[in-house]
Structure formats: structure tokens, C-alpha cells
Amino acid sequence: MTAAAGIMAAADTAAGTIKEMNVERTTKKTVICFGDSNTFGYIPDGSGRFSRRERWPGRLQELLGDEYLVAEEGVCGRTTIFREEGNPGICGLDCVEDALNRNQPADMLIVMLGTNDCKTEYHASVSQIARGAERIVERAKACAAAPARILLIAPAWLGARVETSVWGCDFDGESRRKSMALASAYKAVAEHQGCLFLDASRVIRASGTDQVHLDREAHAALAEAAAELVRG
């Protein structure tokens, strides 16, 4: 075989591999999990990140099986609409289009944000936080390559002792009250936007360790609840 023929054969092989990858990619239903540190898998004791199989998007992948491809798009500190100088990944509204583009075409987008919006520094009302979530839904609808179902999840309540926890510099009692009011506001957004809805506080609680993040058991329970809605 000549050098030129060898190059052509290698190119044909590479093209075939890419084609096979594309076929596999398009036969799976893609689910994007778009959220904050509780989607990232932050461990409540601050020791790192849960493994792929432990955090809820990875557990969701196992529950849904090979017909689905679950993409993780969780960033610690992410809000719905609030920005932080020098940290472009913080604002969900600014990032949702990129998340969709990285994982298109998507069958479903799962949005679970709002916990960080309850921080005292943002002075956000419940209605403002809910409107932030709605703006993300609207942006996703406008920029998606193909229509995707959207599941809006109201995050779990902040713990009763959050203001005396390690996160007490960020959250206070009013923050917790706001977190407890998000479900009804998010449900109204979901109904208005034609989205699926899940109130996470009905199935999970924030860890007693830090009053903010989910423990291993909560990740598993959230994945099970989400899987039911994804399957439809």
C-alpha cells in the first residue's frame, strides 16, 4: 500500500468512526441536568465531589438506561440571573444556551436553580427568583436546536439551622423562608410555560451537615423522582 493510499484508508476509517458515533448519539435521548452545586455533586462536609454514580445526574443515567444520555451541567454557586464579576459560569441565564449547544439535540432540559438566589447578598424576592427561573426557560425555548421538554425543579429547602452553619455568612433565616416559598412560585411558572414540575422538598431535604447540600441518599431519591418524569 502506498503512503497516499494509507492516508486515504485512515481517513475513511476515521470518517466511519465519526459516523458511527453520530448514529449512536442521535439514537439516544439526551437529558441535560442544568443546576448548581447540588447538581455538581458537592459533598456536604466540604471534602469534594460525589462520584458520578452517587450524584443525582449519574444515578439518573443508571435508572434511565442505555436509551438515554444524561449530560451534567452543574456549577457551584450558579444562580438564575445574578452575575459575579470574574465568574462567567455563575449566571444560569448566560450559560443555558451553551449547555444546550454542547448537548444538542436534547430531548429534555432539567433546570434546578434558585438556592443561591436566596443568598443575602442578592436581596432577591421569591417572585424575582421565580422570574429568573422563567427567563432561563424562555431562553432555552428560544435557542434550542429542536424542541425539548423542560422539567423545572424547585430546589430543596435550606436547613432550619442554615444561619448558624458553615454557610451562615451567605444565608440567614429569611433565606430559608424564601427557599420554602419557591415551590409554589415555580409551579406557577411551570404551568405558565408548559413545563413539567417537581418540588424537590417533597422527596429530599438538605443535609444536616451543612444545611445546604444534598447527601448521598438525597441524590438517589432525587434521581428516582426525576426519572419518573423523564420517562413520562
Side-chain angles (χ1 to χ4, degrees):
M1 180 183 293
T2 66
I7 292 172
M8 291 179 64
D12 288 342
T13 300
T17 300
I18 292 172
K19 183 177 181 180
E20 289 177 5
M21 290 172 63
N22 287 338
V23 168
E24 180 183 9
R25 175 70 174 78
T26 55
T27 57
K28 292 178 181 287
K29 296 179 180 179
T30 299
V31 178
I32 303 171
C33 300
F34 187 74
D36 53 28
S37 55
N38 275 326
T39 296
F40 174 81
Y42 183 95
I43 299 176
D45 65 9
S47 61
R49 185 185 191 189
F50 284 119
S51 70
R52 165 76 175 176
R53 296 189 66 179
E54 292 173 312
R55 52 189 186 259
W56 75 265
R59 179 60 184 146
L60 178 62
Q61 176 71 77
E62 292 187 349
L63 292 171
L64 295 176
D66 292 339
E67 294 181 7
Y68 290 83
L69 180 63
V70 177
E72 295 180 292
E73 293 284 348
V75 170
C76 294
R78 178 174 280 161
T79 67
T80 60
I81 58 173
F82 298 105
R83 297 180 175 89
E84 184 177 299
E85 187 175 353
N87 196 344
I90 285 294
C91 177
L93 184 64
D94 294 342
C95 302
V96 68
E97 183 172 359
D98 285 343
L100 285 163
N101 287 338
R102 277 191 294 271
N103 301 286
Q104 62 179 314
D107 179 72
M108 174 173 280
L109 172 68
I110 302 178
V111 179
M112 187 172 74
L113 289 170
T115 298
N116 290 305
D117 297 54
C118 294
K119 289 180 177 179
T120 56
E121 66 179 292
Y122 297 126
H123 306 287
S125 67
V126 171
S127 61
Q128 288 173 326
I129 298 170
R131 178 54 187 154
E134 185 167 29
R135 289 180 65 187
I136 290 176
V137 169
E138 292 170 342
R139 176 71 59 83
K141 287 181 176 180
C143 69
R149 294 184 299 156
I150 299 176
L151 168 59
L152 181 61
I153 300 181
W157 301 344
L158 292 166
R161 300 189 307 278
V162 68
E163 59 187 319
T164 59
S165 73
V166 295
W167 298 103
C169 57
D170 293 316
F171 301 101
D172 60 11
E174 182 61 22
S175 298
R176 182 171 193 264
R177 286 187 285 275
K178 289 176 183 177
S179 75
M180 296 173 71
L182 288 181
S184 59
Y186 276 35
K187 184 178 181 181
V189 168
E191 290 174 350
H192 182 252
Q193 292 292 336
C195 303
L196 296 171
F197 172 72
L198 173 63
D199 177 4
S201 65
R202 289 186 174 274
V203 294
I204 60 173
R205 290 288 184 270
S207 168
T209 301
D210 76 350
Q211 307 290 306
V212 175
H213 296 98
L214 307 181
D215 60 21
R216 188 179 292 102
E217 291 73 24
H219 275 274
L222 180 60
E224 290 177 8
E228 292 184 13
L229 293 170
V230 173
R231 294 191 191 102

